[in-house]
Amino acid sequence: MLDDLARRLGDRAPAVEVTVPTVVHVLTDGRRRAPDSAVRSQIATLNAAYGGRYGGVDTGVRFVLEAVVVTRNPSWFADPLGNEAAMKSSLRRGGPETLNLYIAQLSELVLGYSTYPYWYDGGPLLDGVVIDWRSLPGGALRNFNRGYTGVHEIGHWLGLFHTFENGCGAPGDGVDDTPAEEMPTEGCPAGKDTCPGGGKDPIHNFMDYAYDRCMSEFTKGQAVRMHEMWSAYRTTLTNPDPR
């Protein structure tokens, strides 16, 4: 993947600023759904997290809410993963630059999931991010209700791996300034160091698995990677709309 990224970028400098048009799809079974206020808070949380206002760097990535679409479909709400193709084929809007954020109900073992930018060519209709409605700011999921599930999953959509990718082995997550980490962080520990010689584990990084209250930052290297991925995969494709 990194070789393909370098090939696509060539001699071009990555985008300096990234503005992400965002369409939020709120799924409901007719009784349960993400409140409008929580959706607005989620967008504000994304901009604060990616703007460095909780810690770490300002990544230069911003999210602009273009639409909120409410869809009543009990099956899609209760099992978005099992109904992914039908749901996304029906609802998805825009091209590779548009974030389609689907908010439904998942299990507590799967708070969200995302596609990667380099998957777009092979399945444009499936591009997007799905998160549990209870993970939005003020939601019902204890320890995961500050909106950081969305921050984390959208990090994948922008091209980041988990900080514990490949454990202690090279190339790790492919970002130089995130120390190698053998295993995901659980809870909110005071600290941990699972890979000798590489620095303490990045337990506060949004791309780890810590509780929301323990997460606060992206690194400069992650910001560079997101801009590279944006330039290589989300601004150079010729198909403006998969439908």
Side-chain angles (χ1 to χ4, degrees), residues 1-242:
M1 181 276 297
L2 293 180
D3 289 342
D4 184 61
L5 172 62
R7 180 185 61 79
R8 286 201 178 212
L9 282 175
D11 295 330
R12 293 182 296 114
V16 176
E17 295 290 335
V18 172
T19 300
V20 183
T22 304
V23 177
V24 178
H25 302 277
V26 177
L27 280 299
T28 179
D29 61 359
R31 297 183 298 108
R32 298 168 294 175
R33 54 158 287 191
D36 292 342
S37 58
V39 172
R40 291 192 296 271
S41 293
Q42 180 66 70
I43 298 299
T45 296
L46 293 177
N47 282 315
Y50 283 84
R53 297 204 293 274
Y54 300 131
V57 303
D58 180 347
T59 68
V61 178
R62 299 294 183 270
F63 301 86
V64 177
L65 182 62
E66 289 202 333
V68 177
V69 182
V70 179
T71 300
R72 180 171 178 172
N73 187 309
S75 296
W76 294 357
F77 172 81
D79 186 13
L81 183 57
N83 293 283
E84 181 176 31
M87 179 183 74
K88 290 183 175 179
S89 296
S90 175
L91 298 179
R92 195 188 187 284
R93 297 187 182 184
E97 79 293 339
T98 300
L99 170 61
N100 281 257
L101 177 61
Y102 303 88
I103 302 177
Q105 182 155 306
L106 295 156
S107 72
E108 292 191 16
L109 296 177
V110 181
L111 301 181
Y113 62 95
S114 173
T115 60
Y116 286 96
Y118 44 87
W119 291 357
Y120 186 89
D121 273 345
L125 285 173
L126 296 179
D127 185 67
V129 173
V130 181
I131 60 173
D132 194 296
W133 69 291
R134 298 165 297 181
S135 74
L136 271 60
L141 287 179
R142 184 185 178 192
N143 298 316
F144 299 101
N145 61 356
R146 296 189 181 187
Y148 296 170
T149 294
V151 174
H152 175 102
E153 296 301 337
I154 291 166
H156 291 313
W157 186 82
L158 289 166
L160 298 183
F161 293 132
H162 293 125
T163 52
F164 48 85
E165 188 83 12
N166 293 307
C168 298
D173 65 350
V175 175
D176 290 340
D177 61 359
T178 54
E181 185 176 24
E182 184 178 11
M183 62 191 68
T185 298
E186 296 182 1
C188 193
K192 73 190 220 295
D193 187 358
T194 56
C195 294
K200 292 183 178 180
D201 291 5
I203 62 173
H204 301 298
N205 196 282
F206 285 118
M207 300 312 294
D208 201 350
Y209 271 5
Y211 288 164
D212 278 12
R213 66 176 182 271
C214 200
M215 290 182 169
S216 61
E217 62 188 21
F218 289 111
T219 68
K220 182 178 180 180
Q222 287 175 315
V224 170
R225 177 55 45 79
M226 287 187 274
H227 285 247
E228 290 173 341
M229 287 282 186
W230 183 265
S231 296
Y233 296 99
R234 296 208 176 275
T235 62
T236 60
L237 297 172
T238 58
N239 180 12
D241 192 322

